[in-house]
Amino acid sequence: TTFPMLANLFYLTTSQFQTHADPTPLLLGVGILMIRLAAIDSGLTAFLPVARKDVIEQLQLGVLVADLESQIVDANAAATRILGNTKLANRSLEEVLAGLQSDRARAIEVESFPVKGLVGVVGTCTVLRDCTEARRVEQQLHQAQKLEAIGYLTAGIAHGINNPLAFLSSNLGSLEE
């Protein structure tokens, strides 16, 4: 961005011998500088599609990106699958997350963090992890552990009853003789 400004300054200084200097090159240079400051340095270009989007689309984790007003500007395929909603753009992030918390049948872990640009925070990124299947397997394992404990307890009780019975049986045999 400094090259256009220097080129415009050079043009204006060399054109001072003309009767009417054209301010277009200077205004164009200032305009380009303002565009850079407004779009690139402010972080607005962080929401434009980039090569990293391909990687994010392949994640099994849901990724939601919201602007400073907490309006969702982007969501990957996993987020739409987890949320069961294909129309996430321009919806409130808080509204979407509140809907997740009210669903007791599913276990969704949510982690949010600010997205920082060159001029400060430019939005929010929220990562969603569907743990419903893992919780179900964990509950099955817990149930299996309970059944195993009941099995050990029953085996102990059967052994405890069987020992006196074996003693009585052997003594009854001796008594019979």
Side-chain angles (χ1 to χ4, degrees), residues 9-40:
L9 186 61
F10 175 75
Y11 172 78
L12 288 175
T13 56
T14 58
S15 66
Q16 68 183 344
F17 302 111
Q18 298 175 1
T19 56
H20 297 292
D22 185 14
T24 305
L26 179 63
L27 295 176
L28 184 63
V30 170
I32 290 172
L33 183 62
M34 289 176 65
I35 289 172
R36 174 171 180 193
L37 290 174
I40 297 172

Side-chain angles (χ1 to χ4, degrees), residues 28-176:
L28 184 63
V30 170
I32 290 172
L33 183 62
M34 289 176 65
I35 289 172
R36 174 171 180 193
L37 290 174
I40 297 172
D41 292 345
S42 70
L44 291 176
T45 57
F47 296 118
L48 296 177
V50 292
R52 289 174 261 182
K53 185 168 176 77
D54 294 333
V55 175
I56 293 172
E57 280 298 320
Q58 295 177 26
L59 287 175
Q60 295 302 313
L61 301 172
V63 178
L64 299 171
V65 179
D67 59 13
L68 287 174
E69 288 81 31
S70 290
Q71 298 297 312
I72 297 173
V73 294
D74 197 10
N76 69 349
T80 57
R81 178 182 45 79
I82 290 170
L83 296 170
N85 190 345
T86 56
K87 296 182 180 182
L88 292 169
N90 298 323
R91 287 189 57 199
S92 169
L93 182 62
E94 287 82 17
E95 171 191 322
V96 171
L97 295 180
L100 273 180
Q101 292 173 350
S102 66
D103 187 3
R104 299 284 183 217
R106 297 175 55 205
I108 309 291
E109 289 182 2
V110 177
E111 181 181 350
S112 293
F113 54 90
V115 176
K116 297 178 183 174
L118 295 174
V119 295
V121 176
V122 294
T124 303
C125 181
T126 301
V127 178
L128 308 172
R129 179 179 293 121
D130 190 353
C131 300
T132 307
E133 182 65 20
R135 288 247 174 102
R136 188 186 63 76
V137 169
E138 186 179 311
Q139 287 173 346
Q140 285 179 341
L141 178 63
H142 186 64
Q143 186 67 26
Q145 288 172 340
K146 282 182 189 178
L147 291 174
E148 181 183 21
I150 289 172
Y152 280 128
L153 180 63
T154 353
I157 290 172
H159 183 70
I161 291 174
N162 199 19
N163 278 345
L165 286 178
F167 175 75
L168 283 173
S169 176
S170 69
N171 284 334
L172 282 177
S174 297
L175 232 146
E176 209 177 300

